[in-house]
């Protein structure tokens, strides 16, 4: 009996082994890297990058030290080969299907197994799954990945392209050209805040997968509201209370005749579907759905909790394979509202704002750039510190900017946990792009993969096609003189390829055509159904004859250009394609705006636009001394604020002069002129003290500039401008250099970040002066979705050194309705000033004190 049982056990075990998926992890430190001619080699770590490997092996010094970005440029100009050996056993090679899964190769690569080329890659944003069935042997094997220099390949592609494709890459950035011919992190070639290291390497995990029946590659849950109830008694907002969940599972099957059952569920509520016998190996997609109620909705930071649930997917193959995949999901609805504003309010134009769970949200946030030139050198903890800092500064959202990378999964997991809404750009920035068939097909694959990867995150609020590329059509001599050609390229890439690739994978999130842009004029196939604004359709139709209705976006656009259009509607119309609202992308009346002006006084609110959504605005400062010091050599004169080294790090044209000018406009400290006298009159220019002084002033002025502008946008949320977003440029840094960031590398808070915590507080009081007979206006923004703010306002005038209060006025019983902003006090300045006190001699201190205990914080502000 014992023997029989033992025998059965062994048989069952064998059965289990042969029916189970197996993974061989190829990550780790047992790789080797060498250059093209073999003169440089070092141990390598995967995931990683050639620079970090050479640094770890002491082949190069710290790449961030002094001029490392250009001193080590030879690395980017060479070709690098990564290789290792690995073992697989006979049970692995006997599995019906074996595949190599490369989650990220940076960028131009050929992959070899046991010396034979098995695949090529040319997009760092794609996952490559390569069939290796029959190519492995039980025992030792080798894998080799040969990368070509992205700089060289970019140059070749540019030379081979039939016409010039312009991009923005100033010499002041000390970088390399032709980034836009490659699907590689655009800012790795350098940016106006970052270095050009242009790394190569296996930058995401790599593994072998062997399976008997199926391998699940992606689980894409799309969650939409099924029914709604009022958010609170008398609330105008309808919050979803039940949901439809559609789960799409992408899998690869091992061969013909595979079948099985797929179930997916949350909290015991499940859907089920069958995989009918397959005809051969390759990708297969299954979809199932179910309804859910009784779950807590997910809310952005400050509006409620960030409740998440497990979505459990099970596949049972008819031959015995069983796979389970779990995803965290959140229940929330997202809508992008771009409807026309009520007649006569805020001038002509449309709104632009996000509704989460039926509640309009004023987005308070900043722009995210890559947090290191070598993404793998960032730990989860590094990313957590940065995102926690954003949340701690009362932000409820971030825009992941299009010149960097789609962030790793952990970034979006953290955003889910912290309630940070993510506006996700597709990775294109500040350039025209090629539109040959290979490039477009490559982009379509990339976008589909990224949308599937990220769709489960409730934090992901919107996809946007690019950074500034619609506006860039008007930046370059080539695109302005030959507009139709570059416009054709633009429409082909973003309207005909990127947008449908996104929408076909995920139609539950809004799509934004470019940041900045005026958004859609008519959007025919979004979740929200047919156009809701018949007047707009009519306007378009009155501009277009039926003949102009063409089948593709570009034909339609070109047709429109040739038509007289009384309303100056530059639109496209066709069956099932969106009609974009062309024209001035910076129009404050439509969509989002990027506003930078380095000419005037950066705190003068009269110079700021009144946009529907401010998605970028900013001002530079120097990095803090603590993060900069390790990169400097005092003995070589680096400590002067305008030393050759610090000018080398200043990648923005005229950046230092702009910083000095604002110091002069806002302070009377000698350092503003670069003289760097200390308070005893001693000249400290060129010393640590001199640099620290200069850095401090640059950061103080940056703080004033961004505070002034953010408060202006927050005041705009009332009917004056309908502004519903203040997202400054930029949250974080990529190295220690002059930039627009509020966080230094390592998530050290600059003064701006402390100020952000205040100017983004949900209830915020701010003031400005206006009129020929100047008046003081005080405004209170109340982001609470259900409760009116009721309280008292003290307006106090203080001497500048804070020693004396010269007057105080109290405004009692102020009421600001939920989710709104309102002017709560105004008075002619001369009437508040006591006799003999001049305006220039006093600061205004505002103190808004809530009456309700449920609003514990008071909002104070000095102006
Ligand atoms: C923008 C961005 C970036 C740039 C920043 C500062 O408009 O989109 O490309 O770094 O301005 O110049």
């Amino acid at each position: 009996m014992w023997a029989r049982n033992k025998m059965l056990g062994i048989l069952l075990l064998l059965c289990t082994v042969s029916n189970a998926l197996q993974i061989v992890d190829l990550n780790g430190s047992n790789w080797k890297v060498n250059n093209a001619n073999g003169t440089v080699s070092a141990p390598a770590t995967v995931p990683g990058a050639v620079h970090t490997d050479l640094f770890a092996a002491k082949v190069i010094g710290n790449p961030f030290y002094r001029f490392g970005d250009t001193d080590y440029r030879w690395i980017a100009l060479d070709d690098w080969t990564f290789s290792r050996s690995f073992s697989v056993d006979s049970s692995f090679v006997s599995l019906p299907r074996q595949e190599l899964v490369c989650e990220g190769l940076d960028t131009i690569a050929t992959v070899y197994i046991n010396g034979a080329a098995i695949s090529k890659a040319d997009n760092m944003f794609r996952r490559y799954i390569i069939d290796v069935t029959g190519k492995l042997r039980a025992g030792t094997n080798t894998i080799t990945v040969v990368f070509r220099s992205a700089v060289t390949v970019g140059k070749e592609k540019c030379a081979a392209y039939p016409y010039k494709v312009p991009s923005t890459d100033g010499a002041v950035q000390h970088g390399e050209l032709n980034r836009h011919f490659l699907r590689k992190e655009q800012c790795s070639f350098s940016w106006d805040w970052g270095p050009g290291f242009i790394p190569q390497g296996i930058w995401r995990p790599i593994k072998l997968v062997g399976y008997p029946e199926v391998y699940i590659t992606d689980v894409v849950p799309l969650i939409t509201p099924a029914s709604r109830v009022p958010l609170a008694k008398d609330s105008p907002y309808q919050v979803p209370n039940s949901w439809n969940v559609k789960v799409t599972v992408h899998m690869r099957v091992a061969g013909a005749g595979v079948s099985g059952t797929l179930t997916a569920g949350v909290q015991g509520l499940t859907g089920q579907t069958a995989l009918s016998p397959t005809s051969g190996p390759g990708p297969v997609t299954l979809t199932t759905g179910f309804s859910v109620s009784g779950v807590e909705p997910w809310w952005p930071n400050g509006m409620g909790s960030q409740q998440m649930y497990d979505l459990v997917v099970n596949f049972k193959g008819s031959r015995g394979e069983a796979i389970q995949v779990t995803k965290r999901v959140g229940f929330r609805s997202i809508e992008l509202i771009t409807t026309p504003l009520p007649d006569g309010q805020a001038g002509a134009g449309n709104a632009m704002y996000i509704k989460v769970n039926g509640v309009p949200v004023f987005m308070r946030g900043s722009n995210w750039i890559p947090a290191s030139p070598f993404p793998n050198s960032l730990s989860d903890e590094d990313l957590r510190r940065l995102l926690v800092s954003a949340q701690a500064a009362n932000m409820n959202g971030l825009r992941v900017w299009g010149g960097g990378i789609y962030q790793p999964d952990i970034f979006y997991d953290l955003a889910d946990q912290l309630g940070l809404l993510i506006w996700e750009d597709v990775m294109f920035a500040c350039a025209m792009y090629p539109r040959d068939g290979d490039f477009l097909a490559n982009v379509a694959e990339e976008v589909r993969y990224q949308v599937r990867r990220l769709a489960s995150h409730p934090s992901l609020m919107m996809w946007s096609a690019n950074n500034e590329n619609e506006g860039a059509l008007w930046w370059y001599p080539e695109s302005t003189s030959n507009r139709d050609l570059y416009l054709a390229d633009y429409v082909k890439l973003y309207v005909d390829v990127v947008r449908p690739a996104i929408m076909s994978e995920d139609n539950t999130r809004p799509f934004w055509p470019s940041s900045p842009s005026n958004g859609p004029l008519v959007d025919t196939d979004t979740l929200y159904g047919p156009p809701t604004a018949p007047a707009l359709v009519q306007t378009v139709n009155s501009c277009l004859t039926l003949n102009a209705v063409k089948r593709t976006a570009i034909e339609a656009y070109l047709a429109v250009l040739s038509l007289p259009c009384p309303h100056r509607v530059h639109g496209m119309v066709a069956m099932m394609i969106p009609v974009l609202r062309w024209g001035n992308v910076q129009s404050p009346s439509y969509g989002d705006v990027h506003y930078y002006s380095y000419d005037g006084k950066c705190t003068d609110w009269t110079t700021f636009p009144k946009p529907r959504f401010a998605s970028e605005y900013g001002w530079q400062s120097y990095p803090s001394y603590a993060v900069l010091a390790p990169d400097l050599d005092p003995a070589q004169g680096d400590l002067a604020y305008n030393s050759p080294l610090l000018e080398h790090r200043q990648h923005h044209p005229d950046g230092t002069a702009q910083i000095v000018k604002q110091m002069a406009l806002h302070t009377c400290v000698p350092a503003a002129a670069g003289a760097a006298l200390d308070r005893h009159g001693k000249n400290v220019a060129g010393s640590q003290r001199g640099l620290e002084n200069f850095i401090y002033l640059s950061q103080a002025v940056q703080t004033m500039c961004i505070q002034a502008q953010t408060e202006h946008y927050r005041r705009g949320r009332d009917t004056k401008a309908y502004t519903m977003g203040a997202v400054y440029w930029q949250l974080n840094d990529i190295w220690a250099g002059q930039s627009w960031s509020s966080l230094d590398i390592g998530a050290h808070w600059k003064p701006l970040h402390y100020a952000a915590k205040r100017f983004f507080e949900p209830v915020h009081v701010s003031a400005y002066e206006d009129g020929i007979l100047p008046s003081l206006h005080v405004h209170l923004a109340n982001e609470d979705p259900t409760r009116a703010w009721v309280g008292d306002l003290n307006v106090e005038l203080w001497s500048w050194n804070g020693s004396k209060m010269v007057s105080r006025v109290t405004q009692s019983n102020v009421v600001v309705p939920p989710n709104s902003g309102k002017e709560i006090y105004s008075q002619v300045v001369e009437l508040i000033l006591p006799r003999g006190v001049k305006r220039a001699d006093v600061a205004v201190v505002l103190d808004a004190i809530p009456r309700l205990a449920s609003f514990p914080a008071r909002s104070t502000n000095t102006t």
Side-chain angles (χ1 to χ4, degrees):
M1 189 63 181
W2 179 87
R4 226 181 108 207
N5 273 352
K6 192 174 171 202
M7 195 57 148
L8 198 64
I10 290 168
L11 277 178
L12 276 175
L13 191 72
L14 283 178
C15 230
T16 319
V17 169
S18 64
N19 276 334
L21 178 146
Q22 289 188 42
I23 289 176
V24 179
D25 184 357
L26 297 178
N27 301 308
S29 54
N30 32 14
W31 288 74
K32 194 187 108 193
V33 60
N34 62 266
N35 67 340
N37 64 12
T39 50
V40 183
S41 67
T45 299
V46 167
V50 56
H51 290 76
T52 46
D53 291 331
L54 297 183
F55 174 59
K58 298 199 169 52
V59 175
I60 61 167
N62 173 3
F64 296 109
Y65 183 63
R66 303 199 76 227
F67 297 93
D69 57 323
T70 45
D71 288 351
Y72 295 128
R73 186 62 47 82
W74 59 269
I75 300 172
L77 302 180
D78 210 334
D79 300 336
W80 294 91
T81 296
F82 289 74
S83 53
R84 67 167 281 178
S85 56
F86 61 92
S87 305
V88 288
D89 59 23
S90 53
S91 73
F92 188 86
V93 292
S94 62
L95 283 161
R97 184 89 171 169
Q98 299 132 47
E99 290 173 331
L100 175 68
V101 181
C102 309
E103 285 178 24
L105 300 172
D106 181 11
T107 292
I108 306 298
T110 309
V111 183
Y112 298 81
I113 290 279
N114 297 328
I118 54 163
S119 187
K120 285 185 176 301
D122 59 358
N123 187 333
M124 79 179 281
F125 305 127
R126 277 173 65 183
R127 177 182 58 199
Y128 290 88
I129 301 183
I130 307 160
D131 178 22
V132 293
T133 317
K135 301 202 164 73
L136 301 170
R137 47 186 174 239
T140 305
N141 296 265
T142 59
I143 177 168
T144 308
V145 186
V146 180
F147 290 94
R148 289 196 64 211
S149 157
V151 178
T152 310
V153 177
K155 212 178 279 170
E156 290 169 5
K157 284 187 183 278
C158 172
Y161 206 76
Y163 51 90
K164 183 164 177 194
V165 184
S167 68
T168 305
D169 303 286
V172 67
Q173 292 174 196
H174 313 294
E176 295 290 331
L177 302 176
N178 305 315
R179 61 180 170 86
H180 50 313
F181 285 93
L182 299 173
R183 294 311 295 145
K184 175 168 169 61
E185 180 182 19
Q186 299 287 278
C187 67
S188 70
F189 286 73
S190 82
W191 212 259
D192 63 1
W193 34 255
F197 283 112
I198 320 139
Q200 299 171 37
I202 302 169
W203 78 293
R204 294 278 207 230
I206 185 166
K207 66 187 172 195
L208 286 161
V209 178
Y211 50 93
E213 293 181 83
V214 308
Y215 167 50
I216 292 181
T217 53
D218 306 277
V219 172
V220 184
L222 298 179
I223 300 177
T224 46
S227 61
R228 294 175 182 261
V229 291
L231 176 62
K233 191 169 169 284
D234 301 330
S235 171
Y237 309 131
Q238 297 284 318
V239 61
N241 66 339
S242 69
W243 309 82
N244 293 323
V245 183
K246 178 178 156 204
V247 182
T248 303
V249 177
H250 300 277
M251 48 174 64
R252 299 177 68 83
V253 297
V258 174
S259 60
T261 311
L262 180 94
T263 44
V266 174
Q267 304 236 311
L269 300 159
T270 56
Q272 196 175 71
T273 188
L275 172 66
S276 6
T278 52
S279 55
V284 163
T285 299
L286 291 182
T287 300
T288 184
F290 52 95
S291 300
V292 169
S293 55
V295 288
E296 277 290 309
W298 180 96
W299 290 97
N301 179 27
M303 295 175 76
S305 68
Q306 287 74 47
Q307 192 64 50
M308 301 283 289
Y309 295 86
D310 278 344
L311 165 72
V312 184
V313 173
N314 277 298
F315 178 81
K316 276 203 176 27
S318 51
R319 297 172 193 163
E321 187 182 336
I323 313 179
Q324 186 171 85
V325 177
T326 303
K327 281 248 160 195
R328 299 287 281 165
V329 294
F331 292 83
R332 58 100 190 88
S333 65
I334 286 273
E335 293 155 84
L336 173 66
I337 308 298
T338 55
T339 47
L341 293 173
D343 275 353
Q345 291 196 357
N350 286 21
M352 179 186 176
Y353 62 90
I354 285 287
K355 267 188 185 180
V356 178
N357 297 329
V359 181
V361 177
F362 187 106
M363 187 165 166
R364 315 188 302 275
S366 56
N367 283 271
W368 173 274
I369 63 158
S372 169
F374 315 113
N376 301 101
S377 62
L378 293 166
S379 65
D380 291 359
E381 178 55 23
D382 291 334
L383 290 176
R384 200 188 66 83
R385 267 206 305 275
L386 288 160
L387 293 181
V388 163
S389 295
Q391 189 220 34
N394 285 312
M395 295 185 193
N396 60 12
L398 296 174
R399 168 171 170 249
V400 174
W401 165 80
I405 55 173
Y406 306 95
Q407 291 297 310
D409 295 345
I410 179 72
F411 176 95
Y412 304 91
D413 290 342
L414 288 163
D416 291 344
Q417 289 160 24
L418 296 167
L420 294 169
L421 292 166
I422 302 296
W423 165 325
E424 180 78 35
D425 281 359
V426 180
M427 293 300 140
F428 296 99
C430 301
M432 305 291 95
Y433 280 84
R435 70 153 149 144
D436 55 278
D438 288 350
F439 188 85
L440 297 176
N442 199 359
V443 168
E445 281 297 319
E446 159 195 329
V447 172
R448 275 198 289 269
Y449 164 60
Q450 294 294 343
V451 175
R452 287 177 191 180
R453 181 172 72 91
L454 302 179
S456 62
H457 295 280
S459 56
L460 190 81
M461 81 174 197
M462 179 165 85
W463 287 96
S464 173
N466 61 62
N467 174 73
E468 298 187 341
N469 293 354
E470 187 184 326
L473 283 162
W474 281 265
W475 291 356
Y476 309 110
E478 295 82 9
S479 56
T480 40
S481 62
N482 193 358
R483 182 189 59 183
D484 294 357
L485 172 66
Y486 293 94
L487 201 55
D489 292 358
Y490 184 89
V491 170
K492 189 80 207 154
L493 176 57
Y494 304 110
V495 182
D496 289 355
V497 173
V498 169
R499 183 177 186 278
I502 294 175
M503 302 293 285
S504 62
E505 298 297 328
D506 177 2
N507 65 351
T508 68
R509 289 179 171 86
F511 170 84
W512 193 244
S514 176
S515 181
S517 79
N518 293 335
L521 179 60
V522 179
D523 198 354
T524 50
D525 58 352
T526 66
L527 176 70
Y528 316 111
T532 48
L536 289 181
V537 182
Q538 237 170 26
T539 311
V540 178
N541 288 338
S542 70
C543 298
L544 303 173
T545 64
L546 206 60
N547 292 341
V549 179
K550 298 286 166 70
R551 285 226 320 277
T552 70
I554 182 56
E555 287 171 357
Y557 184 81
L558 294 177
V560 173
L561 289 179
S562 60
L563 288 169
C565 177
H567 307 282
R568 298 194 50 207
V569 175
H570 295 278
M572 301 176 294
V573 71
M575 302 312 164
M576 300 306 285
I577 61 160
V579 181
L580 301 187
R581 186 183 297 280
W582 298 93
N584 171 16
V585 292
Q586 298 284 25
S587 164
S589 307
Y590 299 97
D592 63 328
V593 160
H594 293 187
Y595 174 77
Y596 296 91
S597 168
Y598 301 106
D599 300 330
K601 197 172 177 182
C602 69
T603 46
D604 178 1
W605 70 267
T606 62
T607 63
F608 305 149
K610 291 183 172 176
R612 305 299 181 233
F613 197 110
S615 51
E616 279 191 24
Y617 55 96
W619 202 271
Q620 273 203 339
S621 68
Y622 274 52
S624 303
Y625 186 77
V627 300
L628 187 55
D631 295 357
L632 306 182
D633 182 2
Q636 300 197 57
D638 293 347
L639 293 178
Y641 78 92
N642 55 357
S643 63
L645 177 75
L646 287 173
E647 282 302 315
H648 178 82
R649 295 237 163 161
Q650 172 56 275
H651 286 191
H652 178 53
D654 295 329
T656 313
Q658 289 160 0
I659 290 172
V660 167
K661 181 178 166 190
Q662 292 304 319
M663 286 182 184
L665 286 171
H666 291 90
T667 74
C668 52
V669 184
L677 298 182
D678 74 5
R679 64 199 164 97
H680 308 297
K682 189 173 156 223
N683 191 331
V684 289
S687 69
Q688 177 179 337
R689 169 54 59 86
L691 183 57
E692 283 174 340
N693 285 351
F694 191 89
I695 290 170
Y696 173 77
L697 277 182
S698 78
Q699 296 186 346
V701 170
Q702 178 199 31
T703 304
M704 290 193 276
C705 304
I706 304 302
Q707 169 151 355
Q709 211 170 142
T710 307
E711 289 181 339
H712 166 80
Y713 296 133
R714 291 203 67 183
R715 290 193 294 269
R717 80 157 294 167
D718 62 20
T719 51
K720 286 200 196 76
Y722 279 100
T723 306
M724 284 298 277
V727 180
Y728 67 75
W729 185 267
Q730 64 199 65
L731 175 72
N732 58 321
D733 261 344
I734 195 165
W735 70 341
Q738 294 91 322
S739 87
W740 295 254
S741 76
S742 62
L743 295 173
D744 285 310
I745 48 165
H748 293 104
W749 289 30
K750 286 180 175 178
L752 171 58
H753 208 77
Y754 290 93
K757 185 175 178 178
R758 275 161 49 109
F759 61 62
F760 279 145
E761 58 194 1
V763 173
H764 186 66
V765 66
S766 70
Y768 67 104
E769 230 182 273
D770 191 20
I772 303 166
L773 187 60
S775 291
L776 179 76
H777 300 268
V778 180
H779 181 276
L780 190 132
N782 173 21
E783 303 301 335
D784 192 295
T786 52
R787 295 171 305 169
W789 188 89
V790 181
D792 305 317
L793 171 74
N794 288 332
V795 181
E796 300 167 351
L797 301 185
W798 284 78
S799 59
W800 275 107
N801 64 8
S803 62
K804 199 167 142 218
M805 182 167 75
V806 298
S807 80
R808 171 194 267 180
V809 206
T810 299
Q811 181 89 352
S812 302
N813 288 324
V814 173
V815 179
V816 180
N819 211 12
S820 73
K822 194 173 144 186
E823 179 163 304
I824 56 174
Y825 175 81
S826 84
Q827 184 56 279
V828 175
V829 173
E830 290 301 325
L831 298 180
I832 345 173
L833 281 172
R835 248 165 199 266
V837 177
K838 291 204 243 38
R839 270 171 64 215
D841 293 339
V842 288
V844 179
V845 175
L846 307 170
D847 190 4
I849 310 151
R851 287 263 174 96
L852 297 176
S854 52
F855 277 107
R858 47 212 271 182
S859 174
T860 58
N861 203 345
T862 305
T863 208

